[in-house]
Amino acid sequence: MAKIQFLQLPVPPPSYYAATGNVPLAAASLASCLESKEDPILGLSPYVVSPEDTDSLGDRELIDHITKEGPDFLGLSLYLWNTERSLFIAKEVKKRNPDTTILIGGPEVNEDNPFVLGEGGYDIAVSGEAEHSFRNLMRTLLSKSSLEGLENVAYRKENGTLTSFGKQTAADFPLTDFPSPYTTGHLQVDPKRSTYLETVRGCKSQCTYCFYPKSSQNLRTLDIPETIKLISNLKEKGARELVFLDPTFNHRPGFENFLDAVAEVNSDGRMSMFAELRSEGVTPKIATKLRKAGFTRVELGLQSVNEETLKRVKRYGSPHKVAEVAKMLAGEGMELLLDLIIGLPGDKPEDVERGIHFFLEHGLGEWVQAFPLSVLPGTAMRKDAEKEGLSFMPTPPYRILQTPTFSQRDLTESLFFAEDLLERRLDEFPRPFLCAALPKKNDRFDLVLTGSNQSTPDVDPIWERHWANMSGSRHHSVWFHTEDLSNDLTRILTLIHERITAEPFCTIDFVIPLVFLPKPKEIEQLVSLFETQRNSYLSRTLAHRGENLQHRLVFVFDGNHRELKNWRDEELDSTSFLIYEKIPTNRIRNLDPSKEAFYLIEGEEVDGTDFVFLKEKMDPEAITFSSRKLEEKWSVEVLGYGEL
């Protein structure tokens, strides 16, 4: 019996204790389609790497996990946020297990994505919706037949080059052809996580920046009885929040009847729900039905207030209709996500300003999410990018760099201007992990570099001896304890480079507790090293801020050290590194809420009134804890980073 293992990696979260939202629906759906009752693929045993493992394991641990299982086939689902890490893992698995056939698929796998097609480490690429073509592919592989001419499939020839894709055929199979992965057991319902499901595939809209139209322009719908059967099953399994991934939720035929049926199965209100809607066609009656069905969060895309731009990108619609429907849904008690894209062809910086003012004037500012355009593979916008004069990153996140009406500076300034108007940051702050070490945990490593350090009795210098082979968790910290930074700087730089090379897609905080004032040249060398390591989606997402979400440099100092405190005050505007002042719990009330600074609260217990003071008076992103219990409590209860 041949084994096929599926790996779908999550969106990297902004914090150690933040939820990843990882539900490997695509991977599990592929595993399930191999086991359809009517026509199973015989001789093949599918297995999906669990979200618990993909959420916690570092690069090396994942590679070890896969190679230990020794699958005959490894399938990877590639998305914007996980492509580079997935391809890295594929290469490393191939090095260790050359006989494992590695397959890639997902939205990133397209004829127009030279980045993915130019990478090595995989054997076969599958484009488009995969269930039907994937089954044909696996039958062909198991029979050891030629792959030549297979629809939607490209494969690696003996000389290492990748063939062109076979005939590109849009999916047209009914959604009832294959069982839900929740019913086959390939995907578990976890009450602490959202439960993702698809009841419609295909999209009638033709938005040029979106991937959905490529999949299919014809709606294929799981009918109401089948959908209600699935939702009832998910409810019995303990689902608490359903996230509908249907491209445009209210384009489903018989939408009102569908909402009535969902309201009936969810009459006790045990489940909350989320979906993305088009404002067109949403009436007060439908808004009420959405609430009765259990919808507590809804996303509406305005994208631009410039109606000529909306026509140009084939979004169409009316900004005033979006505002009308948003207020209607808010009146039913729903939370909203209102999208505004920065850098659409035809838009100018003043259109972004008008868009923000538009939402503010309608009392909707709290729900706005404004973000730069990404020119995604498989979209009409990418096809026409040269004609439109669009310059964009060739690698994830494929972010727009320049348009005929937006300079690079305009794009960044428009985002910051939007933040000023909305009085909040529009992307998540990259929160470092500064908690104390725990025995047998691989999420913090302490290295003593100069002499002995009695102030850190838990430090184990043995880690450096095993540095080259060390495996860290998905998010871990490395602490360099030095009494002479100048003397140890070369060694620190070498160790940082080796750690990033060993696990390039782990989120790593490199922490230097300061004893003396660092010299400008020392900081410059450290910062320069991190700038040369911006080789991932996660490190590029905040490049416009000068920040690095993947690998962070953090300085920590004792608040009693006056010289370091003055230095910190001079460096408050730095985006290249973070500086945390250590504060014992008995000095919490001495903190000045008006001061923009970062604080590491030391101690296992915080008085309830002090916790409230930190929560209500201080910038919540500026506070972190050495206690794991307190850091998790803060992340979940105050920052809202946790699961359900």
Side-chain angles (χ1 to χ4, degrees), residues 14-290:
S15 163
Y16 181 94
Y17 286 108
T20 65
N22 185 25
V23 180
L25 181 61
S29 295
L30 289 175
S32 295
C33 84
L34 299 172
E35 298 182 336
S36 65
K37 291 180 181 178
E38 291 75 18
D39 187 21
I41 306 298
L42 301 177
L44 190 60
S45 175
Y47 168 75
V48 180
V49 180
S50 75
E52 290 75 22
D53 286 334
T54 55
D55 279 2
S56 61
L57 299 181
D59 297 341
R60 286 191 164 188
E61 289 179 317
L62 273 171
I63 294 160
D64 290 342
H65 180 87
I66 293 166
T67 53
K68 184 178 180 181
E69 291 281 337
D72 300 281
F73 304 95
L74 173 65
L76 301 110
S77 299
L78 269 53
Y79 293 89
L80 181 73
W81 54 84
N82 72 16
T83 291
E84 290 160 304
R85 190 181 188 206
S86 298
L87 293 173
F88 170 76
I89 288 171
K91 288 176 185 174
E92 295 301 311
V93 169
K94 197 70 176 174
K95 285 179 188 175
R96 296 199 203 177
N97 290 0
D99 292 336
T100 296
T101 300
I102 298 179
L103 308 94
I104 62 170
E108 294 286 292
V109 182
N110 265 284
E111 291 176 308
D112 64 354
N113 193 356
F115 163 62
V116 167
L117 299 185
E119 290 289 304
Y122 61 88
D123 301 293
I124 299 168
V126 184
S127 68
E129 272 187 63
E131 283 94 336
H132 189 265
S133 54
F134 183 67
R135 285 167 54 83
N136 290 338
L137 170 63
M138 294 314 300
R139 276 205 171 99
T140 304
L141 287 170
L142 289 171
S143 66
K144 301 188 184 306
S145 302
S146 170
L147 301 179
E148 187 176 356
L150 281 185
E151 293 178 352
N152 302 338
V153 170
Y155 59 92
R156 192 124 0 230
K157 294 188 288 189
E158 287 187 11
N159 63 6
T161 61
L162 196 69
T163 67
S164 300
F165 282 95
K167 181 182 177 183
Q168 294 290 290
T169 306
D172 59 1
F173 57 85
L175 299 192
T176 51
D177 273 9
F178 306 116
S180 164
Y182 292 106
T183 60
T184 60
H186 287 297
L187 190 56
Q188 302 298 318
V189 172
D190 183 346
K192 293 182 180 179
R193 295 176 185 261
S194 300
T195 300
Y196 291 6
L197 70 160
E198 285 181 309
T199 69
V200 176
R201 289 192 187 177
C203 187
K204 292 193 296 184
S205 300
Q206 295 297 303
C207 308
T208 63
Y209 50 81
C210 183
F211 178 78
Y212 284 130
K214 178 180 173 63
S215 173
S216 175
Q217 296 171 20
N218 299 317
L219 299 189
R220 286 169 295 127
T221 306
L222 198 64
D223 64 27
I224 292 177
E226 282 293 326
T227 303
I228 295 305
K229 181 181 176 182
L230 174 59
I231 291 174
S232 298
N233 179 277
L234 296 175
K235 184 178 180 181
E236 289 173 9
K237 293 177 184 295
R240 290 177 55 199
E241 182 187 59
L242 300 184
V243 174
F244 288 87
L245 300 182
D246 306 2
T248 304
F249 190 56
N250 55 321
H251 278 181
R252 159 193 268 275
F255 186 57
E256 287 192 40
N257 292 335
F258 173 70
L259 291 178
D260 291 337
V262 174
E264 186 175 344
V265 77
N266 193 35
S267 58
D268 56 7
R270 277 170 48 193
M271 294 184 293
S272 62
M273 304 188 191
F274 170 83
E276 182 178 352
L277 306 177
R278 285 293 297 255
S279 57
E280 296 79 15
V282 177
T283 62
K285 182 181 178 183
I286 286 179
T288 300
K289 286 179 180 285
L290 283 163

Side-chain angles (χ1 to χ4, degrees), residues 566-577:
N566 292 338
W567 169 73
R568 183 273 313 276
D569 292 345
E570 294 171 1
E571 297 288 348
L572 287 177
D573 293 332
S574 173
T575 57
S576 300
F577 52 87

Side-chain angles (χ1 to χ4, degrees), residues 391-394 399-403 406-409 411:
S391 172
F392 59 93
M393 295 179 181
R399 190 160 287 170
I400 195 77
L401 297 174
Q402 192 168 335
T403 80
F406 259 103
S407 68
Q408 279 192 275
R409 182 173 180 178
L411 289 164

Side-chain angles (χ1 to χ4, degrees), residues 222-400:
L222 198 64
D223 64 27
I224 292 177
E226 282 293 326
T227 303
I228 295 305
K229 181 181 176 182
L230 174 59
I231 291 174
S232 298
N233 179 277
L234 296 175
K235 184 178 180 181
E236 289 173 9
K237 293 177 184 295
R240 290 177 55 199
E241 182 187 59
L242 300 184
V243 174
F244 288 87
L245 300 182
D246 306 2
T248 304
F249 190 56
N250 55 321
H251 278 181
R252 159 193 268 275
F255 186 57
E256 287 192 40
N257 292 335
F258 173 70
L259 291 178
D260 291 337
V262 174
E264 186 175 344
V265 77
N266 193 35
S267 58
D268 56 7
R270 277 170 48 193
M271 294 184 293
S272 62
M273 304 188 191
F274 170 83
E276 182 178 352
L277 306 177
R278 285 293 297 255
S279 57
E280 296 79 15
V282 177
T283 62
K285 182 181 178 183
I286 286 179
T288 300
K289 286 179 180 285
L290 283 163
R291 173 182 54 80
K292 289 181 177 178
F295 284 85
T296 57
R297 293 189 303 129
V298 169
E299 184 170 359
L300 294 173
L302 170 65
Q303 320 308 7
S304 173
V305 289
N306 185 329
E307 294 195 31
E308 289 304 311
T309 294
L310 293 177
K311 292 176 184 176
R312 186 168 176 172
V313 299
K314 298 185 179 181
R315 173 71 184 184
Y316 305 108
S318 160
H320 292 283
K321 181 62 177 176
V322 172
E324 175 193 331
V325 170
K327 286 186 275 190
M328 193 188 300
L329 296 172
E332 293 286 350
M334 295 178 217
E335 294 181 18
L336 305 174
L337 290 174
L338 303 174
D339 300 335
L340 194 69
I341 301 177
I342 299 173
L344 285 172
D347 260 1
K348 298 176 182 178
E350 50 264 37
D351 292 311
V352 176
E353 182 179 347
R354 286 197 303 120
I356 299 297
H357 280 299
F358 175 82
F359 280 125
L360 291 172
E361 288 162 6
H362 284 278
L364 300 168
E366 65 179 296
W367 289 305
V368 176
Q369 52 177 14
F371 48 88
L373 171 69
S374 286
V375 183
L376 300 173
T379 61
M381 185 169 288
R382 178 171 282 220
K383 181 181 178 182
D384 295 336
E386 187 174 348
K387 183 175 69 176
E388 292 277 15
L390 307 182
S391 172
F392 59 93
M393 295 179 181
T395 53
Y398 310 112
R399 190 160 287 170
I400 195 77

